[in-house]
Structure formats: C-alpha cells, structure tokens
Amino acid sequence: MSRAERLLQLMQTLRRHRQPVPGQALASELGVSLRTLYRDIASLQAQGADIEGEAGLGYVLRPGFMLPPLMFSEDEIEALVLGSRWVAERGDPRLGDAARNALAKITAVLPPELRHEADSSALLVGPENQTAPADQLLFQIRTAIRAERKLQVGYRDVQGEETSRILWPCAVGFFDRCLVMVAWCELRRAFRHFRIDRIGSLAILEERYPERRQALLQKWRQQEGIPAR
C-alpha cells in the first residue's frame, strides 16, 4: 500500500467514527505501527485535516475537511455518478438540480483520467415503473423534515378511506414503484408509513414536533430492527 493510499484509508476510517478512536485500533486496522500512524496523522493535520486528539486519548476527525477529489477510486467515482443520476431522475426538481450541480463540481476538479471515467460511466438509471408523486409534495415533506415541523395531511389508505392526520415526518424512502414517508402519527400514536401518492392534501404547520428528528428516526430504526448508520 502506498503512503497516499494509506492516508486515504486513514481519513476514511476516521470519517466512519464520531467518537475518538484509540491510536492502537487505527494502527491495527491499517496494518501499520503506532509510530507510522502518528506520522500519518501529523501529515494530515499539516494538510488541513481537523484531527483532534493525542496518544492515549484517541483521535477524531471534525467535520468540514474536504478530501482531495484526486484520491477517489474508480469504484467511488462510479458510486457518486450512479447516485447522482438516480437522485436527478427520481427526486423533485430542486433535489435533482442539486444532484447535477454536485456532480458537476466534483467532475470539474478531477484529474483528466478520472474525469473521463465519470463522463463515460456505464451505470445508468432506468425509467420509473409508475408516475412519480407531485414534486411539490416531496419538496414540502423534505422542508418539514429539515425544520422538524408537523404536517397536516389528508390521506387515503389502501381501503380508500380518507382521514386527516397530524404527522411528525422523519424520513422518506425512495422505492422503485413509490415514495414512502416515515412519520409518527398522532392519530394512531405510533410510527406509520405513508405512500406519498396517496396524500390528497398537505400543509406544513408552524408547530415543531417535540423531539429532534435524529432521535425520532433512531426510535423508528429500533422498532423496525434496522441497524443505526
């Protein structure tokens, strides 16, 4: 493994952890000595990486450091291109534009050989199997999730019964045939899944729901048996 590859792997390892990681654990994962690890951390800090910690206490990478794009692997480039293309095709217009802009920013600073890989990627996004829900609905739901605001929706269930509900939205699942909102339902006093194409009306309320979105999402993950990311 070259030194550049080792530094990249160290950065990726630190990015996966939000709490300080002991130096010995990092050295073992990278297959290097503690002395080499300390030199690598010093090198990254000199390049601007906001790595905090010291020997015996562990190390953590603070948010904000931009990894040089030239260090992306071919697989990572393909993953970025495919993900951006998927969002551009399946998200609402603002989300689609954001995906295209992000990909353009990345490819603009790639070295020529990797830029060619991005431009000529053979991983394509196929057409949807059914008409997507109204773009405005998806945009409003995303806005409410970010602001942790309650939603009032008119919803038609699988039997065709229409109800008015107050929801605490915390996530949107993008499935091949439909989009599904995850929310705490005040009517049912439980988490429920709502197909967005069955929402007849939607309004963002001024009232914020009483929990942080991350905590709400974690409770849903525990209920569904989904490991935390």
Side-chain angles (χ1 to χ4, degrees):
M1 181 188 299
S2 68
R3 183 168 181 272
E5 291 174 327
R6 192 175 70 242
L7 291 177
L8 171 61
Q9 188 174 345
L10 174 56
M11 286 291 300
Q12 300 290 55
T13 301
L14 288 169
R15 283 182 184 279
R16 292 199 303 267
H17 297 276
R18 296 185 179 180
Q19 301 299 322
V21 186
Q24 186 59 62
L26 290 171
S28 297
E29 182 169 344
L30 294 170
V32 299
S33 67
L34 264 176
R35 185 176 179 181
T36 297
L37 175 76
Y38 295 151
R39 285 202 305 264
D40 288 347
I41 287 176
S43 295
L44 289 172
Q45 289 172 328
Q47 295 175 37
D50 190 5
I51 300 174
E52 295 183 358
E54 58 183 78
L57 297 178
Y59 297 91
V60 64
L61 176 66
R62 296 302 178 190
F65 180 68
M66 299 299 294
L67 189 65
L70 59 88
M71 298 177 76
F72 285 134
S73 70
E74 291 183 356
D75 285 341
E76 289 169 336
I77 292 295
E78 285 198 332
L80 287 169
V81 171
L82 180 60
S84 298
R85 287 175 176 173
W86 197 95
V87 174
E89 291 295 326
R90 305 296 174 86
D92 60 68
R94 289 182 59 146
L95 203 57
D97 286 343
R100 284 184 283 269
N101 290 340
L103 184 59
K105 290 178 181 178
I106 291 172
T107 56
V109 295
L110 288 174
E113 63 276 13
L114 290 183
R115 188 181 307 127
H116 174 73
E117 290 293 332
D119 292 339
S120 61
S121 175
L123 303 183
L124 307 176
V125 178
E128 294 179 278
N129 287 341
Q130 73 175 40
T131 303
D135 293 330
Q136 184 61 24
L137 282 180
L138 179 56
F139 173 66
Q140 287 179 290
I141 291 170
R142 291 197 299 112
T143 300
I145 289 174
R146 286 199 302 265
E148 299 177 340
R149 300 265 290 278
K150 293 185 179 183
L151 291 174
Q152 181 168 7
V153 305
Y155 188 74
R156 185 183 69 258
D157 64 20
V158 67
Q159 286 80 31
E161 181 181 352
E162 296 188 5
T163 55
S164 177
R165 304 173 185 235
I166 303 296
L167 306 178
W168 308 355
C170 60
V172 174
F174 287 72
F175 294 88
D176 190 43
R177 294 183 177 273
C178 64
L179 303 184
V180 176
M181 173 174 54
V182 178
W184 174 267
C185 177
E186 292 190 356
L187 178 65
R188 304 302 183 195
R189 304 302 302 167
F191 285 107
R192 289 290 187 267
H193 303 145
F194 300 90
R195 284 183 49 153
I196 295 178
D197 59 346
R198 291 180 180 163
I199 295 177
S201 62
L202 181 147
I204 301 176
L205 303 181
E206 291 295 327
E207 184 180 3
R208 297 183 62 176
Y209 44 79
E211 298 189 50
R212 297 307 304 269
R213 173 174 56 87
Q214 293 86 347
L216 202 62
L217 186 58
Q218 179 61 24
K219 288 182 179 180
W220 171 77
R221 287 183 181 279
Q222 291 174 349
Q223 174 185 291
E224 298 295 318
I226 301 173
R229 295 179 180 177

Tab-separated table of all heavy atoms in Angstrom, residues 11 15-16 29 47 54 63 77-78 83 113 122 139 155 161-162 171 173 175 182 192 197 208 215 225:
chain	number	residue	atom	x	y	z
A	11	MET	N	-8.106	8.511	6.544
A	11	MET	CA	-9.179	9.506	6.518
A	11	MET	C	-10.548	8.842	6.491
A	11	MET	O	-11.468	9.239	7.218
A	11	MET	CB	-9.018	10.413	5.290
A	11	MET	CG	-7.892	11.422	5.404
A	11	MET	SD	-8.236	12.698	6.644
A	11	MET	CE	-9.721	13.415	5.967
A	15	ARG	N	-13.531	9.068	9.277
A	15	ARG	CA	-14.850	9.590	8.895
A	15	ARG	C	-15.978	8.689	9.390
A	15	ARG	O	-17.097	9.151	9.600
A	15	ARG	CB	-14.949	9.730	7.374
A	15	ARG	CG	-14.219	10.927	6.802
A	15	ARG	CD	-14.424	11.000	5.303
A	15	ARG	NE	-13.665	12.086	4.707
A	15	ARG	CZ	-14.034	13.341	4.691
A	15	ARG	NH1	-15.186	13.688	5.239
A	15	ARG	NH2	-13.289	14.272	4.120
A	16	ARG	N	-15.705	7.409	9.557
A	16	ARG	CA	-16.756	6.474	9.984
A	16	ARG	C	-17.071	6.581	11.465
A	16	ARG	O	-18.071	6.033	11.923
A	16	ARG	CB	-16.327	5.033	9.666
A	16	ARG	CG	-16.253	4.711	8.192
A	16	ARG	CD	-16.286	3.197	7.976
A	16	ARG	NE	-15.222	2.520	8.688
A	16	ARG	CZ	-14.030	2.230	8.159
A	16	ARG	NH1	-13.772	2.598	6.908
A	16	ARG	NH2	-13.110	1.597	8.852
A	29	GLU	N	-6.076	-1.548	12.309
A	29	GLU	CA	-6.928	-1.606	11.117
A	29	GLU	C	-6.145	-1.303	9.849
A	29	GLU	O	-6.390	-1.899	8.797
A	29	GLU	CB	-8.090	-0.626	11.263
A	29	GLU	CG	-9.063	-0.657	10.084
A	29	GLU	CD	-10.334	0.108	10.334
A	29	GLU	OE1	-10.636	0.424	11.514
A	29	GLU	OE2	-11.051	0.400	9.361
A	47	GLN	N	-1.832	19.130	6.344
A	47	GLN	CA	-2.549	19.415	5.100
A	47	GLN	C	-3.903	20.078	5.348
A	47	GLN	O	-4.624	20.386	4.400
A	47	GLN	CB	-2.750	18.124	4.305
A	47	GLN	CG	-1.454	17.483	3.815
A	47	GLN	CD	-1.690	16.148	3.139
A	47	GLN	OE1	-2.681	15.976	2.434
A	47	GLN	NE2	-0.785	15.206	3.340
A	54	GLU	N	-4.825	12.937	20.914
A	54	GLU	CA	-3.409	12.702	21.137
A	54	GLU	C	-3.218	11.276	21.600
A	54	GLU	O	-4.187	10.560	21.912
A	54	GLU	CB	-2.870	13.676	22.179
A	54	GLU	CG	-3.582	13.612	23.518
A	54	GLU	CD	-3.069	14.654	24.502
A	54	GLU	OE1	-3.463	15.827	24.372
A	54	GLU	OE2	-2.263	14.275	25.372
A	63	PRO	N	-15.852	17.709	11.413
A	63	PRO	CA	-16.461	17.948	10.092
A	63	PRO	C	-15.848	19.144	9.385
A	63	PRO	O	-15.339	20.061	10.013
A	63	PRO	CB	-17.941	18.210	10.427
A	63	PRO	CG	-18.141	17.628	11.788
A	63	PRO	CD	-16.822	17.794	12.501
A	77	ILE	N	-15.905	6.772	-7.773
A	77	ILE	CA	-16.403	7.650	-8.831
A	77	ILE	C	-17.690	7.088	-9.415
A	77	ILE	O	-18.684	7.807	-9.610
A	77	ILE	CB	-15.350	7.827	-9.944
A	77	ILE	CG1	-14.153	8.629	-9.430
A	77	ILE	CG2	-15.958	8.513	-11.167
A	77	ILE	CD1	-14.477	10.057	-9.060
A	78	GLU	N	-17.716	5.779	-9.695
A	78	GLU	CA	-18.927	5.170	-10.252
A	78	GLU	C	-20.097	5.271	-9.277
A	78	GLU	O	-21.240	5.500	-9.688
A	78	GLU	CB	-18.662	3.709	-10.614
A	78	GLU	CG	-17.839	3.520	-11.877
A	78	GLU	CD	-17.955	2.125	-12.430
A	78	GLU	OE1	-18.197	1.181	-11.659
A	78	GLU	OE2	-17.820	1.962	-13.669
A	83	GLY	N	-25.280	7.414	-8.022
A	83	GLY	CA	-26.159	8.019	-7.019
A	83	GLY	C	-26.703	9.363	-7.468
A	83	GLY	O	-27.891	9.660	-7.300
A	113	GLU	N	-7.941	11.619	-16.171
A	113	GLU	CA	-8.287	10.208	-16.316
A	113	GLU	C	-9.530	9.837	-15.509
A	113	GLU	O	-10.379	9.058	-15.970
A	113	GLU	CB	-7.114	9.312	-15.899
A	113	GLU	CG	-6.682	9.410	-14.442
A	113	GLU	CD	-5.722	10.555	-14.179
A	113	GLU	OE1	-5.576	11.422	-15.068
A	113	GLU	OE2	-5.115	10.585	-13.096
A	122	ALA	N	-20.795	3.636	-17.306
A	122	ALA	CA	-21.797	2.785	-17.958
A	122	ALA	C	-22.944	2.415	-17.021
A	122	ALA	O	-23.810	1.615	-17.390
A	122	ALA	CB	-21.124	1.518	-18.487
A	139	PHE	N	-41.152	18.082	-2.077
A	139	PHE	CA	-40.392	19.247	-1.613
A	139	PHE	C	-40.898	19.713	-0.250
A	139	PHE	O	-40.108	20.028	0.654
A	139	PHE	CB	-40.490	20.377	-2.631
A	139	PHE	CG	-39.873	21.660	-2.160
A	139	PHE	CD1	-38.508	21.761	-1.948
A	139	PHE	CD2	-40.670	22.770	-1.896
A	139	PHE	CE1	-37.938	22.947	-1.494
A	139	PHE	CE2	-40.107	23.948	-1.450
A	139	PHE	CZ	-38.741	24.041	-1.244
A	155	TYR	N	-55.115	11.827	4.000
A	155	TYR	CA	-54.518	10.584	3.496
A	155	TYR	C	-55.583	9.548	3.175
A	155	TYR	O	-56.533	9.353	3.932
A	155	TYR	CB	-53.542	10.024	4.536
A	155	TYR	CG	-52.726	8.857	4.029
A	155	TYR	CD1	-51.684	9.070	3.123
A	155	TYR	CD2	-52.993	7.562	4.442
A	155	TYR	CE1	-50.929	8.004	2.651
A	155	TYR	CE2	-52.241	6.492	3.983
A	155	TYR	CZ	-51.211	6.718	3.074
A	155	TYR	OH	-50.472	5.657	2.599
A	161	GLU	N	-60.259	4.661	2.407
A	161	GLU	CA	-60.798	5.533	3.455
A	161	GLU	C	-59.900	6.745	3.629
A	161	GLU	O	-58.677	6.623	3.727
A	161	GLU	CB	-60.891	4.767	4.771
A	161	GLU	CG	-61.464	5.593	5.916
A	161	GLU	CD	-61.517	4.824	7.220
A	161	GLU	OE1	-61.253	3.605	7.204
A	161	GLU	OE2	-61.807	5.456	8.256
A	162	GLU	N	-60.496	7.920	3.679
A	162	GLU	CA	-59.740	9.155	3.813
A	162	GLU	C	-59.795	9.661	5.248
A	162	GLU	O	-60.850	9.686	5.870
A	162	GLU	CB	-60.276	10.219	2.852
A	162	GLU	CG	-60.094	9.843	1.383
A	162	GLU	CD	-60.453	10.978	0.453
A	162	GLU	OE1	-60.745	12.081	0.960
A	162	GLU	OE2	-60.431	10.756	-0.769
A	171	ALA	N	-38.421	10.788	7.740
A	171	ALA	CA	-37.640	10.202	6.650
A	171	ALA	C	-38.537	9.968	5.439
A	171	ALA	O	-39.768	9.907	5.558
A	171	ALA	CB	-36.997	8.883	7.082
A	173	GLY	N	-38.543	7.220	2.114
A	173	GLY	CA	-37.937	6.075	1.448
A	173	GLY	C	-38.228	6.128	-0.045
A	173	GLY	O	-39.393	6.259	-0.444
A	175	PHE	N	-38.526	4.131	-3.109
A	175	PHE	CA	-38.669	2.790	-3.654
A	175	PHE	C	-38.889	2.877	-5.160
A	175	PHE	O	-39.195	3.939	-5.705
A	175	PHE	CB	-39.829	2.056	-2.980
A	175	PHE	CG	-39.599	1.784	-1.516
A	175	PHE	CD1	-39.956	2.718	-0.557
A	175	PHE	CD2	-39.003	0.604	-1.107
A	175	PHE	CE1	-39.730	2.481	0.791
A	175	PHE	CE2	-38.773	0.346	0.238
A	175	PHE	CZ	-39.146	1.288	1.190
A	182	VAL	N	-41.880	8.179	6.308
A	182	VAL	CA	-41.896	7.619	7.655
A	182	VAL	C	-42.251	8.742	8.614
A	182	VAL	O	-41.625	9.811	8.580
A	182	VAL	CB	-40.528	7.028	8.035
A	182	VAL	CG1	-40.553	6.500	9.468
A	182	VAL	CG2	-40.129	5.925	7.065
A	192	ARG	N	-45.924	5.234	11.441
A	192	ARG	CA	-46.635	4.693	10.294
A	192	ARG	C	-45.887	5.062	9.027
A	192	ARG	O	-45.081	5.991	9.011
A	192	ARG	CB	-48.075	5.251	10.223
A	192	ARG	CG	-49.006	4.710	11.305
A	192	ARG	CD	-49.326	3.248	11.066
A	192	ARG	NE	-50.338	2.739	11.972
A	192	ARG	CZ	-50.077	2.134	13.139
A	192	ARG	NH1	-48.797	1.992	13.523
A	192	ARG	NH2	-51.043	1.687	13.902
A	197	ASP	N	-48.043	9.066	-2.879
A	197	ASP	CA	-49.045	9.197	-3.937
A	197	ASP	C	-50.473	9.039	-3.416
A	197	ASP	O	-51.428	9.208	-4.170
A	197	ASP	CB	-48.771	8.199	-5.069
A	197	ASP	CG	-48.766	6.751	-4.603
A	197	ASP	OD1	-48.700	6.512	-3.378
A	197	ASP	OD2	-48.817	5.852	-5.460
A	208	ARG	N	-43.498	22.862	15.839
A	208	ARG	CA	-42.457	21.851	15.684
A	208	ARG	C	-42.817	20.638	16.525
A	208	ARG	O	-43.460	20.763	17.574
A	208	ARG	CB	-41.099	22.399	16.129
A	208	ARG	CG	-40.615	23.568	15.290
A	208	ARG	CD	-39.236	24.019	15.721
A	208	ARG	NE	-38.242	22.968	15.555
A	208	ARG	CZ	-36.940	23.140	15.789
A	208	ARG	NH1	-36.496	24.302	16.206
A	208	ARG	NH2	-36.099	22.157	15.614
A	215	ALA	N	-33.466	11.733	16.858
A	215	ALA	CA	-33.965	10.846	17.909
A	215	ALA	C	-35.199	10.093	17.434
A	215	ALA	O	-35.366	8.897	17.713
A	215	ALA	CB	-34.289	11.654	19.168
A	225	GLY	N	-36.000	-2.753	13.639
A	225	GLY	CA	-34.839	-3.630	13.673
A	225	GLY	C	-33.774	-3.276	12.671
A	225	GLY	O	-33.036	-4.142	12.187
